Amino acid sequence: MDVKKLEEIVFQTRRDIVRMVHKVSSGHPGGSLGCTEFFIALYHEIMNINTDFDMDGINEDLFFLSNGHISPVFYSALARRGYFPVKELNTFRLLDSRLQGHPTTHEGLPGVRIASGSLGQGMSVALGAAQAKKLNKDNSLVFSLHGDGELQEGQNWEAIMYASAKKVDNLIATIDYNGQQIDGSTDQVLSLGNLDEKFKAFGWEVIHIKQGNNISEVVKGLQKAKELSGNGKPICVLLHTIMGNGVDFMMHTHAWHGKAPNDEQLDKALSQNPETLGDY
């Protein structure tokens, strides 16, 4: 693990996020910034992937983004990993762009396997893909990401119950555990209770990544999750993050869930994240 290199990608990804959202005055920077380290760890250290993309993904690890509104970080991660040209980030949310506000498949954007944005559905899709790999004798893993507030959707818990009952132990589902959602804190909107104990009660293996915005800790945590796979239980990673991480005025608040920075705010955000790989 080259921590310095990974941190450089993190800085550049944050720049990509705020620049994309600023240009069209639309998008979701808060959650995107909070999950930057996760995406960089996943795509540069953890997953066995093939950037020569095809939808089947045979003999490679798969990733499904359930909370599709954080598409800016997803698009940046894919582009910076080589799935499509980095310059295409400049088309985010424009008419006829492949980079719509929520990822969809009909534009044919490499790296995107499902349309997401209707919250609560990603767990079911990832579970189906994981079972398909088992049926096909494919030993690769399936990773997914979900917002914590998204777990207020009941469909999640049907899938969570099914995954353990059928011993889908090649599934690693990560929860972005930042305690914030569009209308306020998760405790204010609808308390999630003790997620650790809930997942365990549903028969899952649970690990915490307490420093979800520390790239080294995220890599170590996801590596541990991989080591736990194949032991009869699906794995839940509770990733403790800070919404808006890396841009001081966006941190620790739901206010930037779906709000774009103005010109002055963009300059301030960019000043806190040095250009390392070249802006698109």
Side-chain angles (χ1 to χ4, degrees):
M1 176 172 54
D2 186 337
V3 176
K4 185 175 185 299
K5 179 181 178 182
L6 293 174
E7 288 177 340
E8 288 177 351
I9 304 171
V10 166
F11 279 125
Q12 191 63 53
T13 299
R14 289 192 197 130
R15 291 180 67 89
D16 291 345
I17 291 165
V18 293
R19 292 181 69 236
M20 278 190 278
V21 173
H22 167 265
K23 178 181 177 181
V24 292
S25 298
S26 179
H28 297 77
S32 294
L33 290 166
C35 286
T36 300
E37 289 83 1
F38 169 80
F39 274 89
I40 301 314
L42 199 66
Y43 276 92
H44 290 267
E45 287 287 330
I46 297 300
M47 288 200 302
N48 172 36
I49 56 176
N50 182 2
T51 55
D52 185 13
F53 180 76
D54 71 83
M55 287 295 284
D56 290 331
I58 297 171
N59 295 322
E60 65 173 308
D61 295 335
L62 305 182
F63 171 71
F64 295 97
L65 174 65
S66 187
N67 47 334
H69 56 278
I70 66 167
S71 61
V73 66
F74 189 25
Y75 294 149
S76 175
L78 291 174
R80 297 288 174 181
R81 188 61 176 82
Y83 279 87
F84 58 86
V86 172
K87 65 182 179 182
E88 194 170 350
L89 296 176
N90 201 39
T91 70
F92 176 67
R93 278 184 176 247
L94 299 181
L95 290 175
D96 299 320
S97 169
R98 298 196 295 178
L99 280 64
Q100 289 303 307
H102 293 78
T104 59
T105 54
H106 66 270
E107 286 93 354
L109 186 67
V112 177
R113 288 192 163 87
I114 61 165
S116 57
S118 296
L119 295 175
Q121 298 180 2
M123 186 74 75
S124 300
V125 177
L127 170 57
Q131 277 206 303
K133 284 195 173 292
K134 280 184 168 290
L135 290 170
N136 292 331
K137 304 290 192 276
D138 182 340
N139 293 322
S140 304
L141 297 172
V142 174
F143 294 84
S144 60
L145 179 66
H146 315 262
D148 50 2
E150 181 182 5
L151 295 182
Q152 295 159 352
E153 294 274 4
Q155 180 178 342
N156 288 291
W157 298 99
E158 295 177 44
I160 290 165
M161 179 169 58
Y162 182 96
S164 59
K166 301 304 179 182
K167 296 181 170 53
V168 186
D169 56 6
N170 57 339
L171 173 63
I172 299 174
T174 296
I175 312 301
D176 178 19
Y177 208 7
N178 61 25
Q180 305 289 338
Q181 59 189 105
I182 189 170
D183 290 327
S185 73
T186 52
D187 283 342
Q188 291 172 327
V189 177
L190 182 61
S191 177
L192 299 168
N194 189 327
L195 282 186
D196 182 295
E197 292 300 325
K198 282 184 176 178
F199 270 93
K200 287 177 180 175
F202 274 72
W204 285 54
E205 195 76 54
V206 180
I207 68 170
H208 288 257
I209 301 179
K210 292 290 190 180
Q211 299 180 54
N213 296 117
N214 179 313
I215 190 68
S216 298
E217 292 302 309
V218 176
V219 170
K220 291 176 186 175
L222 291 176
Q223 286 174 336
K224 180 180 178 182
K226 287 178 65 174
E227 292 168 3
L228 290 171
S229 67
N231 289 315
K233 290 184 177 183
I235 298 112
C236 170
V237 177
L238 294 178
L239 180 74
H240 298 255
T241 68
I242 298 171
M243 180 172 274
N245 186 67
V247 177
D248 58 6
F249 60 88
M250 293 186 182
M251 294 171 66
H252 303 288
T253 173
H254 71 282
W256 291 91
H257 171 92
K259 176 183 174 182
N262 59 31
D263 292 350
E264 181 181 347
Q265 290 165 332
L266 174 67
D267 289 341
K268 186 175 180 181
L270 293 176
S271 72
Q272 297 172 25
N273 292 278
E275 183 179 356
T276 54
L277 304 178
D279 288 335
Y280 58 82

